[in-house]
Amino acid sequence: MSSPSNILRIAVPTPLYRIFDYLPHSTQNMDTLEPGVRVRVPFGRTKSIGVLVELAETSDIEHGRLKPILECLDEHPALPQDILELVSWASNYYHYPIGEAINTALPAALRKGLPDKSKPVISWCLTPEGKSADQKDLKRAPRQAAVHICLQQYPEGAKSEQLQQLPGDWRGGLQALIKRGWVVKQETNMTPQTAESQAQPHLQLNSYQQEAVDNISAALGSFQAFLLHGVTGSGKTEVYLQVIDAVLGAGQQVLVLVPEIGLTPQLVQRFQQRFQIPITVFHSGLSDSERLEAWLAARNGSASIILGTRSAIFTPLKNPGLIIVDEEHDVSLKQQDGFRYSARDLAVMRGRFLQVPVVLGSATPSLESMHNAAESRYQLLGLPDRAGDACHASIELLDMRAQPMDEGLSHKLLQRMQQHLDQGSQVLLFLNRRGYAPVLMCHECGWTAGCDRCDTHMTLHKQRNRLCCHHCGADRVIEKTCPNCTNEELKPIGQGTQRTEQALQQHFPDITISRIDRDSTRRKGSMESMLEDALSGKSQILIGTQLLAKGHHFPNVTMVGILDTDQGLFSADFRGTERMVQLALQVAGRAGRAEKPGQVLIQTHHPDHPLLGMLSGQDYSHISDGLLQERKQACLPPFSNLALLRAEAADYSMPHQFLQHAKEMAAHLDIQYIEFMGPVPAPMERRAGRYRAQLLLQSENRPALHRLLKQWTPSLEKIKSARKVRWSLDVDPLDMF
Ligand code: ADP
Ligand code: ZN
Ligand code: ZN
């Protein structure tokens, strides 16, 4: 007979790379102890809430030294088995402590130990006595009378939202009516959603869309990753909608990941219009309890369509049928701090675990995904044409060399803008730099205003009359005189969106201009109202940063100007060119919808650059082939695998010391096939007052790299200087800064 499994292996949220063994408490009902339940445990000198990962028969720790748990918080697992598996896999792959990884997957309310169940919906309704009562009896009790009248309108029961509409103290009136026996309080659970017939009919698909829908539909019930590649407006969303309909028809759920909900209101709206069921949306505006409700609805199967940003990848699903990742190339799908997972890559892994298809969609897929498609790991579904009657925008390069310029706007560009405006069309200008000017310089001695805490310039924000650091958030009033030579002539150098807006206003004094960037949309609702002005045609010129490049469709925009592409051509990051091309094509996709042919003009001082030449051909597959060739020659991802160890400290030498030590430790392990680069200072060495350095590991052999990381990463915490630095490991880093 086997010995009983009564060692509880528990993941506790702590930066340590292990799980912890505990004993059941003395009156423990062992039947409810399934992996996935939350338990309160003594941890060091405090108490902590952990998650039971497995039951074991033996422990490496002597039995007498094991402590019992304090209590088990759940009767049933809060985290279903498949989420536990996904998180364990991710913790392993990203070499991130399991306890913290699991914590990331739990909604905040559950992390804090709140009950794992829906809050009942509370409402009040009239008793039979209350219904037949005579209003006259309440003549002297106006508060009660008001509540009584209100409840008569809600035979199913009124909630506090409805009663709140009443003037005065409705709670007092309500209590008095309950005392009379005229009203009872009732608690009901959230009504489950059922997939009813669709609200809006499907569109007639073109043959490419049909082929995509057929292929994905045929894969339902099994795992297959698809790369849906189609220019903006080619009808990808329509493909999603029709496949989703099939999944809902089979009684299953769909998980849709998007980069930023705030930037995709139109997508959410289209989902909402197409299906009669409510869409469960995870967005940053939810309170802890709203988030928990949405999470529970997904887990119990009552939510059918779940839409969220990257962290939604850990949403439990009762009947999973399909996972969609829209804009799969977007960097925001990768978490940039703490648990640095890629939601896109985890989506593919989750699809494999769950045996459901995964659709990655983009007009400009990541090179990683293009490569996976080329290697047949993903099935490529192409939508080469714009759907409906809309036609492709044309892309044209504007040679800026020796051209007259006005605040970054060439005369050629201004002329073309005038033509489009004269025709009553809208113009969109893209400049990925907010503020007035990126640099403030002394004309006399060349001094520039730098950030005291970062190795970077302060950006001039003229309206607020301040200098701001876009890296650490520091700001200060603008110097009146040069601190170096006391000269009074300080000049803004370069263009930000504010400066361009100002210049445009002078050029086109009668035209309404909307500037859309993080500064102009900070106030709640301002983004929405600006988008409204853009869509209604009230504002004729739109100038913005990448906020404008995503998600929104402006049917009346016939010209897009890209003001500054050149910096992307010479970026220090090896992904710089890929990003530049993606951004340019994404922006280009905003124009020329709705049957109006669009024109994209790119200002450049390097019109002969091969990449720009390819860009005007607009064949993304062709461009990505070229970029992949370069990556291959340089042995960069996706042809090799990277892991970046970062360290930072207030002390200048500490990060280097730590990384050097880490590298020496690795030398004792199996480092065959692995190349170490560094330690070197980070591209921006000082940020927010801390010095930063990094050590890059590169290998063509992924298993070898991960074998090393598995041994090496947990031992890093033992390095003496580890306590004096903040360090982190980034597997498959997207950003080398
Ligand atoms: P994407 O997601 O690739 O940008 P959408 O699905 O949003 O493309 O489609 C772009 C536009 O074309 C939308 O207005 C959509 O309603 C329309 N559309 C999509 N598919 C079709 C179709 N088969 N026939 C007619 N119009 C379509
Ligand atoms: Zn000076
Ligand atoms: Zn700074």
Side-chain angles (χ1 to χ4, degrees), residues 13 21 38 59 70 73 112 127 228 249 287 292 298 312 339 359 367 392 442 502 519 536 593 597 599 676 685:
D21 292 353
R38 294 172 300 154
S59 171
L70 300 170
L73 297 174
K112 292 176 191 157
T127 58
L228 182 63
S287 68
L292 178 63
F339 187 13
V359 181
L367 292 185
H392 272 292
C442 169
Q502 199 178 30
D519 298 312
S536 71
R593 289 205 111 163
Q599 200 168 46
F676 287 77
E685 182 167 21

Side-chain angles (χ1 to χ4, degrees), residues 6-24 39 41-44 48-56 58-61 65-69 97-100 102 717:
N6 59 3
I7 304 289
L8 313 184
R9 313 210 66 203
I10 291 167
V12 182
T14 136
L16 299 176
Y17 282 82
R18 38 182 286 239
I19 45 182
F20 298 86
D21 292 353
Y22 285 88
L23 296 172
V39 288
V41 294
F43 192 74
S48 191
I49 294 175
V51 170
L52 177 64
V53 175
E54 58 183 1
L55 291 152
T58 58
S59 171
D60 293 341
I61 315 267
R65 298 184 54 208
L66 289 174
K67 290 186 185 157
I69 62 167
I98 178 76
E100 304 245 358
I102 286 182
E717 68 199 21

